[in-house]
Amino acid sequence: GGRAQLEELAEERAAKIRQTAAAARPVPVAVPAAARRSALVRPEPPRPAPDLERHEHAVRLRELWPFVNPQSLYGNHLGLPGNVWRLAEQGDPRYRKLEAIVDDVKRRAEGGWLRARGVHRFFPAASEGNDLIVYDPDSPTSRREVARFHFPRQAREDGLCLADFVAPAGGEPGVPTNPDSWGGLDSVAMFVTTCGAGVRGLAEKLKADGEYVLSQTLQALAIESAEAFAEKLHHDLRAEWGIPDPPELSMQEVVVKARYQGIRVSFGYPACPDLSDQEILWRLLQPESVGVQLTDGHMMDPEASVSALVFHHPDARYFGVGVTEEELQPA
C-alpha cells in the first residue's frame, strides 16, 4: 500500500544521499602565484567581536523548528517532489501525509530522541594574501598567531578568495581603523552544532523493528535540525556583531536565500576545499565537549553535525574555485 511505497521511496532517497555525499569529495584546486585581494570586495573597517569567550549551547528543539529548511527536509531527504511551500499552501495530500509523520517525529525528538548542543567563539583575525590569520582570543592585543588557514583563489583576474573578506593586518589604504578592534584587527567566528547524539543507534533499532519510515525520518530530521541550529546560531551571531537581519526579512529569505550580511562556510566546499582544515577548527573550538569528534578522514561524528567559519563582510558571498587550464593539460 501507500506506506510500503513511502518506505521504499525513503530508503531509495537515503541511498542516493549517501552516494552523493560519498562522491562529493573536493577537487584539487590551483592557487595563482600572485595572491592579491580581489577588486570586487569593498574595503570595510575591521569589525570587533562582541566578546572573545568560548560559549557552549544546549537549546530547546522548539527554538530550532522555525529555522528548518522544509524544502531540504521534505524534498531532498524524504523524496517529496515539487516546491514544498506551494504544496503546503495547496494542502497537497502527499505533503500532508509526510507532515504528519514529521510532526510525530518532532514530538518524539522533543521527548528525548534528539538533543541540540553546540559551541561557538569569536576570534581576532586578519588576512595576508590568501591566508586567514587567527590570533589568540585570550590576549588579542598581543597579536599572537594561533592558527592560519590557507584558501584557494579563483584563477582569473580579480578572482575571489575567502581571505578577502577579512581586513589585512596592516589595514587598508583610505579605510579608518576601528579603535575598538584591538589596534586594527578584524574578527571571524567559528562554531559547531550537533543534533546527532545517539541517533544512529536509535535509527538502527527502529529499522530492526520494521519502523523504516520513522528511522529514515529521524535521521533526516537530525541532519536538518543540526543545520537549523547552525542557521539560528549564525542569525544570533550577526545580531551580536551589530549586523542584525532586517525585521522585514522572512524566514524563507533567511533560511533558503541567505539574504543577510555575511556568510558561513564549511570545510570541504569549493571555496575552502581542504577538509583537513577541520583539525584547525577543532583545536581552536574543542567541540568534543559537546559530543562531536573528528574521524580519521576529517568527517564529523555524529553525522548530524555542522561546523562553520563565519565572515561578516557586506560583500561576502558564496563562490566556487575551479581547476586551472594548466592543471587540465596532460603531463
Side-chain angles (χ1 to χ4, degrees), residues 55-57 59 63-64 67 117-122 189-194 226-241 264 285 306 308 310:
H55 300 272
E56 289 192 7
H57 306 271
V59 304
E63 297 176 37
L64 303 184
F67 290 89
R117 299 187 68 195
V119 57
H120 89 266
R121 191 169 193 175
F122 289 97
M190 300 179 205
F191 68 70
V192 172
T193 61
T194 185
E227 284 286 349
F229 192 175
E231 201 68 70
K232 181 186 184 305
L233 185 51
H234 188 193
H235 171 272
D236 296 344
L237 296 183
R238 291 193 296 275
E240 290 181 28
W241 237 330
R264 63 177 172 94
L285 272 189
V306 175
V310 188

Tab-separated table of all heavy atoms in Angstrom, residues 55-57 59 63-64 67 117-122 189-194 226-241 264 285 306 308 310:
chain	number	residue	atom	x	y	z
A	55	HIS	N	31.723	29.845	24.099
A	55	HIS	CA	30.351	29.634	24.562
A	55	HIS	C	29.836	28.252	24.159
A	55	HIS	O	29.910	27.883	22.982
A	55	HIS	CB	29.414	30.688	23.972
A	55	HIS	CG	29.765	32.097	24.339
A	55	HIS	ND1	29.287	32.705	25.482
A	55	HIS	CD2	30.569	33.012	23.721
A	55	HIS	CE1	29.762	33.938	25.551
A	55	HIS	NE2	30.547	34.149	24.494
A	56	GLU	N	29.309	27.505	25.123
A	56	GLU	CA	28.633	26.238	24.825
A	56	GLU	C	27.124	26.452	24.888
A	56	GLU	O	26.647	27.284	25.651
A	56	GLU	CB	29.051	25.143	25.809
A	56	GLU	CG	30.476	24.671	25.602
A	56	GLU	CD	30.792	23.391	26.378
A	56	GLU	OE1	29.849	22.799	26.976
A	56	GLU	OE2	31.970	22.988	26.393
A	57	HIS	N	26.397	25.701	24.059
A	57	HIS	CA	24.953	25.874	23.956
A	57	HIS	C	24.230	24.541	24.120
A	57	HIS	O	24.694	23.508	23.632
A	57	HIS	CB	24.565	26.443	22.582
A	57	HIS	CG	25.278	27.701	22.224
A	57	HIS	ND1	24.805	28.948	22.554
A	57	HIS	CD2	26.447	27.920	21.551
A	57	HIS	CE1	25.640	29.874	22.114
A	57	HIS	NE2	26.656	29.266	21.503
A	59	VAL	N	20.151	23.955	23.483
A	59	VAL	CA	18.922	24.682	23.195
A	59	VAL	C	17.739	23.738	23.053
A	59	VAL	O	17.893	22.543	22.762
A	59	VAL	CB	19.051	25.540	21.908
A	59	VAL	CG1	20.227	26.491	21.998
A	59	VAL	CG2	19.183	24.660	20.671
A	63	GLU	N	12.964	25.770	19.594
A	63	GLU	CA	13.561	27.014	19.092
A	63	GLU	C	14.172	26.831	17.699
A	63	GLU	O	14.391	27.811	16.981
A	63	GLU	CB	14.655	27.500	20.050
A	63	GLU	CG	14.168	27.858	21.447
A	63	GLU	CD	15.322	28.242	22.356
A	63	GLU	OE1	16.274	28.885	21.856
A	63	GLU	OE2	15.285	27.890	23.545
A	64	LEU	N	14.440	25.577	17.329
A	64	LEU	CA	15.089	25.311	16.050
A	64	LEU	C	14.111	25.074	14.914
A	64	LEU	O	14.451	25.291	13.742
A	64	LEU	CB	16.011	24.086	16.171
A	64	LEU	CG	17.113	24.136	17.228
A	64	LEU	CD1	17.979	22.895	17.141
A	64	LEU	CD2	17.959	25.396	17.071
A	67	PHE	N	13.748	27.361	11.947
A	67	PHE	CA	14.919	27.502	11.084
A	67	PHE	C	15.161	26.269	10.207
A	67	PHE	O	16.117	26.241	9.433
A	67	PHE	CB	16.164	27.773	11.934
A	67	PHE	CG	16.178	29.135	12.575
A	67	PHE	CD1	15.606	29.333	13.829
A	67	PHE	CD2	16.742	30.228	11.925
A	67	PHE	CE1	15.605	30.587	14.435
A	67	PHE	CE2	16.752	31.482	12.512
A	67	PHE	CZ	16.173	31.668	13.764
A	117	ARG	N	23.102	20.539	20.822
A	117	ARG	CA	24.218	21.120	21.554
A	117	ARG	C	25.167	21.799	20.571
A	117	ARG	O	25.241	21.421	19.399
A	117	ARG	CB	24.968	20.048	22.354
A	117	ARG	CG	24.118	19.347	23.399
A	117	ARG	CD	24.956	18.435	24.258
A	117	ARG	NE	25.873	19.189	25.094
A	117	ARG	CZ	26.916	18.648	25.729
A	117	ARG	NH1	27.174	17.346	25.606
A	117	ARG	NH2	27.702	19.393	26.489
A	118	GLY	N	25.902	22.791	21.059
A	118	GLY	CA	26.815	23.496	20.174
A	118	GLY	C	27.852	24.292	20.938
A	118	GLY	O	27.804	24.404	22.169
A	119	VAL	N	28.802	24.843	20.187
A	119	VAL	CA	29.844	25.683	20.771
A	119	VAL	C	30.225	26.722	19.732
A	119	VAL	O	30.232	26.443	18.528
A	119	VAL	CB	31.079	24.841	21.185
A	119	VAL	CG1	31.641	24.056	20.016
A	119	VAL	CG2	32.163	25.713	21.809
A	120	HIS	N	30.506	27.958	20.195
A	120	HIS	CA	30.983	28.987	19.265
A	120	HIS	C	31.988	29.890	19.962
A	120	HIS	O	32.033	29.958	21.199
A	120	HIS	CB	29.822	29.822	18.697
A	120	HIS	CG	29.467	31.037	19.516
A	120	HIS	ND1	28.475	31.031	20.481
A	120	HIS	CD2	29.974	32.300	19.534
A	120	HIS	CE1	28.390	32.228	21.041
A	120	HIS	NE2	29.290	33.027	20.482
A	121	ARG	N	32.777	30.584	19.140
A	121	ARG	CA	33.698	31.579	19.670
A	121	ARG	C	34.056	32.566	18.566
A	121	ARG	O	34.204	32.185	17.395
A	121	ARG	CB	34.972	30.915	20.210
A	121	ARG	CG	35.857	31.856	21.008
A	121	ARG	CD	36.961	31.120	21.752
A	121	ARG	NE	37.594	31.988	22.739
A	121	ARG	CZ	38.527	31.587	23.610
A	121	ARG	NH1	38.926	30.326	23.625
A	121	ARG	NH2	39.047	32.436	24.482
A	122	PHE	N	34.185	33.829	18.940
A	122	PHE	CA	34.732	34.852	18.048
A	122	PHE	C	36.251	34.881	18.240
A	122	PHE	O	36.749	34.646	19.348
A	122	PHE	CB	34.170	36.232	18.398
A	122	PHE	CG	32.723	36.421	18.036
A	122	PHE	CD1	31.729	36.253	18.987
A	122	PHE	CD2	32.352	36.798	16.754
A	122	PHE	CE1	30.393	36.448	18.675
A	122	PHE	CE2	31.020	36.998	16.422
A	122	PHE	CZ	30.034	36.823	17.390
A	189	ALA	N	34.136	34.346	13.266
A	189	ALA	CA	33.531	33.452	14.264
A	189	ALA	C	33.634	32.021	13.765
A	189	ALA	O	33.727	31.776	12.554
A	189	ALA	CB	32.070	33.832	14.515
A	190	MET	N	33.633	31.092	14.692
A	190	MET	CA	33.626	29.656	14.357
A	190	MET	C	32.620	28.973	15.255
A	190	MET	O	32.431	29.375	16.416
A	190	MET	CB	35.010	29.039	14.565
A	190	MET	CG	36.098	29.674	13.729
A	190	MET	SD	37.724	28.928	14.046
A	190	MET	CE	38.792	30.289	13.559
A	191	PHE	N	31.966	27.924	14.722
A	191	PHE	CA	31.044	27.179	15.569
A	191	PHE	C	30.883	25.741	15.107
A	191	PHE	O	31.232	25.383	13.971
A	191	PHE	CB	29.682	27.876	15.671
A	191	PHE	CG	28.840	27.909	14.408
A	191	PHE	CD1	28.259	26.766	13.880
A	191	PHE	CD2	28.590	29.118	13.759
A	191	PHE	CE1	27.467	26.802	12.749
A	191	PHE	CE2	27.799	29.178	12.624
A	191	PHE	CZ	27.233	28.007	12.112
A	192	VAL	N	30.364	24.925	16.003
A	192	VAL	CA	29.953	23.555	15.698
A	192	VAL	C	28.599	23.343	16.354
A	192	VAL	O	28.406	23.708	17.519
A	192	VAL	CB	30.966	22.512	16.218
A	192	VAL	CG1	30.408	21.092	16.065
A	192	VAL	CG2	32.289	22.632	15.487
A	193	THR	N	27.651	22.788	15.595
A	193	THR	CA	26.344	22.433	16.159
A	193	THR	C	26.099	20.958	15.893
A	193	THR	O	26.590	20.398	14.903
A	193	THR	CB	25.203	23.246	15.512
A	193	THR	OG1	25.154	22.968	14.098
A	193	THR	CG2	25.390	24.735	15.726
A	194	THR	N	25.318	20.320	16.768
A	194	THR	CA	25.003	18.907	16.562
A	194	THR	C	23.647	18.556	17.147
A	194	THR	O	23.227	19.122	18.163
A	194	THR	CB	26.087	18.001	17.185
A	194	THR	OG1	25.799	16.633	16.867
A	194	THR	CG2	26.158	18.161	18.702
A	226	ALA	N	20.384	19.956	12.910
A	226	ALA	CA	21.742	20.473	13.099
A	226	ALA	C	21.978	21.662	12.176
A	226	ALA	O	22.603	22.657	12.563
A	226	ALA	CB	22.768	19.375	12.838
A	227	GLU	N	21.458	21.575	10.939
A	227	GLU	CA	21.551	22.706	10.003
A	227	GLU	C	20.732	23.891	10.523
A	227	GLU	O	21.163	25.048	10.418
A	227	GLU	CB	21.033	22.292	8.622
A	227	GLU	CG	22.001	21.434	7.823
A	227	GLU	CD	23.181	22.226	7.268
A	227	GLU	OE1	23.143	23.473	7.327
A	227	GLU	OE2	24.128	21.588	6.776
A	228	ALA	N	19.548	23.602	11.066
A	228	ALA	CA	18.703	24.669	11.607
A	228	ALA	C	19.382	25.347	12.790
A	228	ALA	O	19.310	26.570	12.958
A	228	ALA	CB	17.347	24.092	12.035
A	229	PHE	N	20.060	24.553	13.619
A	229	PHE	CA	20.803	25.093	14.756
A	229	PHE	C	21.910	26.012	14.240
A	229	PHE	O	22.134	27.121	14.763
A	229	PHE	CB	21.377	23.936	15.572
A	229	PHE	CG	21.916	24.311	16.929
A	229	PHE	CD1	22.362	23.323	17.795
A	229	PHE	CD2	21.986	25.633	17.354
A	229	PHE	CE1	22.858	23.646	19.046
A	229	PHE	CE2	22.490	25.970	18.610
A	229	PHE	CZ	22.930	24.969	19.446
A	230	ALA	N	22.610	25.572	13.182
A	230	ALA	CA	23.655	26.411	12.582
A	230	ALA	C	23.058	27.707	12.051
A	230	ALA	O	23.635	28.786	12.209
A	230	ALA	CB	24.348	25.643	11.457
A	231	GLU	N	21.889	27.615	11.423
A	231	GLU	CA	21.222	28.802	10.887
A	231	GLU	C	20.828	29.753	12.006
A	231	GLU	O	21.017	30.968	11.916
A	231	GLU	CB	19.990	28.373	10.092
A	231	GLU	CG	19.503	29.392	9.088
A	231	GLU	CD	20.460	29.603	7.925
A	231	GLU	OE1	20.615	28.704	7.085
A	231	GLU	OE2	21.062	30.703	7.882
A	232	LYS	N	20.279	29.198	13.091
A	232	LYS	CA	19.869	30.039	14.226
A	232	LYS	C	21.085	30.678	14.897
A	232	LYS	O	21.062	31.868	15.245
A	232	LYS	CB	19.089	29.217	15.251
A	232	LYS	CG	18.624	30.056	16.452
A	232	LYS	CD	17.977	29.215	17.523
A	232	LYS	CE	17.430	30.094	18.645
A	232	LYS	NZ	18.423	30.997	19.256
A	233	LEU	N	22.139	29.893	15.083
A	233	LEU	CA	23.333	30.419	15.743
A	233	LEU	C	23.960	31.522	14.894
A	233	LEU	O	24.359	32.575	15.419
A	233	LEU	CB	24.331	29.291	16.004
A	233	LEU	CG	25.591	29.635	16.791
A	233	LEU	CD1	25.267	30.365	18.083
A	233	LEU	CD2	26.404	28.369	17.079
A	234	HIS	N	24.023	31.312	13.580
A	234	HIS	CA	24.542	32.352	12.689
A	234	HIS	C	23.675	33.605	12.781
A	234	HIS	O	24.184	34.727	12.823
A	234	HIS	CB	24.589	31.819	11.249
A	234	HIS	CG	25.288	32.732	10.291
A	234	HIS	ND1	25.226	32.573	8.924
A	234	HIS	CD2	26.066	33.840	10.487
A	234	HIS	CE1	25.930	33.524	8.334
A	234	HIS	NE2	26.443	34.307	9.256
A	235	HIS	N	22.375	33.427	12.841
A	235	HIS	CA	21.428	34.543	12.990
A	235	HIS	C	21.746	35.327	14.264
A	235	HIS	O	21.806	36.566	14.269
A	235	HIS	CB	20.009	33.974	13.033
A	235	HIS	CG	18.943	34.963	13.393
A	235	HIS	ND1	18.583	35.229	14.700
A	235	HIS	CD2	18.161	35.749	12.630
A	235	HIS	CE1	17.630	36.143	14.717
A	235	HIS	NE2	17.349	36.468	13.488
A	236	ASP	N	21.969	34.606	15.364
A	236	ASP	CA	22.267	35.252	16.646
A	236	ASP	C	23.628	35.950	16.622
A	236	ASP	O	23.795	37.035	17.200
A	236	ASP	CB	22.220	34.221	17.780
A	236	ASP	CG	20.833	33.632	17.982
A	236	ASP	OD1	19.851	34.217	17.472
A	236	ASP	OD2	20.718	32.568	18.633
A	237	LEU	N	24.608	35.326	15.962
A	237	LEU	CA	25.946	35.921	15.894
A	237	LEU	C	25.923	37.221	15.098
A	237	LEU	O	26.619	38.178	15.447
A	237	LEU	CB	26.942	34.939	15.260
A	237	LEU	CG	27.213	33.637	16.015
A	237	LEU	CD1	28.274	32.816	15.289
A	237	LEU	CD2	27.624	33.894	17.452
A	238	ARG	N	25.126	37.260	14.035
A	238	ARG	CA	25.020	38.503	13.263
A	238	ARG	C	24.490	39.636	14.140
A	238	ARG	O	24.983	40.774	14.082
A	238	ARG	CB	24.101	38.307	12.045
A	238	ARG	CG	24.670	37.400	10.985
A	238	ARG	CD	23.885	37.479	9.688
A	238	ARG	NE	22.512	37.037	9.765
A	238	ARG	CZ	22.091	35.780	9.656
A	238	ARG	NH1	22.983	34.816	9.475
A	238	ARG	NH2	20.821	35.465	9.720
A	239	ALA	N	23.501	39.333	14.955
A	239	ALA	CA	22.940	40.354	15.847
A	239	ALA	C	23.990	40.821	16.851
A	239	ALA	O	24.130	42.022	17.113
A	239	ALA	CB	21.717	39.795	16.562
A	240	GLU	N	24.757	39.880	17.401
A	240	GLU	CA	25.796	40.237	18.372
A	240	GLU	C	26.897	41.066	17.724
A	240	GLU	O	27.504	41.927	18.363
A	240	GLU	CB	26.395	38.969	18.985
A	240	GLU	CG	25.451	38.215	19.918
A	240	GLU	CD	26.119	36.993	20.517
A	240	GLU	OE1	27.361	37.004	20.656
A	240	GLU	OE2	25.408	36.029	20.845
A	241	TRP	N	27.154	40.813	16.451
A	241	TRP	CA	28.194	41.514	15.704
A	241	TRP	C	27.771	42.934	15.345
A	241	TRP	O	28.564	43.724	14.843
A	241	TRP	CB	28.502	40.750	14.421
A	241	TRP	CG	29.925	40.329	14.240
A	241	TRP	CD1	31.044	40.950	14.704
A	241	TRP	CD2	30.377	39.173	13.505
A	241	TRP	NE1	32.172	40.257	14.312
A	241	TRP	CE2	31.795	39.160	13.577
A	241	TRP	CE3	29.740	38.153	12.810
A	241	TRP	CZ2	32.570	38.173	12.963
A	241	TRP	CZ3	30.506	37.174	12.209
A	241	TRP	CH2	31.909	37.180	12.289
A	264	ARG	N	28.500	31.891	6.087
A	264	ARG	CA	29.155	30.837	6.879
A	264	ARG	C	29.563	29.745	5.904
A	264	ARG	O	28.794	29.356	5.025
A	264	ARG	CB	28.236	30.284	7.974
A	264	ARG	CG	26.966	29.599	7.486
A	264	ARG	CD	26.171	29.034	8.666
A	264	ARG	NE	24.870	28.533	8.286
A	264	ARG	CZ	24.601	27.259	7.981
A	264	ARG	NH1	25.566	26.358	7.991
A	264	ARG	NH2	23.375	26.891	7.659
A	285	LEU	N	38.317	25.275	18.843
A	285	LEU	CA	36.994	25.257	19.488
A	285	LEU	C	36.800	24.129	20.490
A	285	LEU	O	35.970	24.235	21.380
A	285	LEU	CB	35.895	25.146	18.424
A	285	LEU	CG	35.341	26.414	17.798
A	285	LEU	CD1	34.120	26.070	16.957
A	285	LEU	CD2	34.972	27.457	18.837
A	306	VAL	N	27.234	20.181	12.208
A	306	VAL	CA	27.644	21.219	11.263
A	306	VAL	C	28.792	22.002	11.882
A	306	VAL	O	28.733	22.386	13.048
A	306	VAL	CB	26.479	22.186	10.949
A	306	VAL	CG1	26.957	23.337	10.044
A	306	VAL	CG2	25.317	21.444	10.296
A	308	ALA	N	31.420	25.441	11.036
A	308	ALA	CA	31.425	26.609	10.149
A	308	ALA	C	32.429	27.657	10.583
A	308	ALA	O	32.743	27.811	11.759
A	308	ALA	CB	30.032	27.231	10.082
A	310	VAL	N	32.714	31.776	10.020
A	310	VAL	CA	31.727	32.819	9.729
A	310	VAL	C	32.411	34.156	9.456
A	310	VAL	O	33.263	34.594	10.228
A	310	VAL	CB	30.741	32.976	10.911
A	310	VAL	CG1	29.599	33.915	10.528
A	310	VAL	CG2	30.183	31.621	11.344
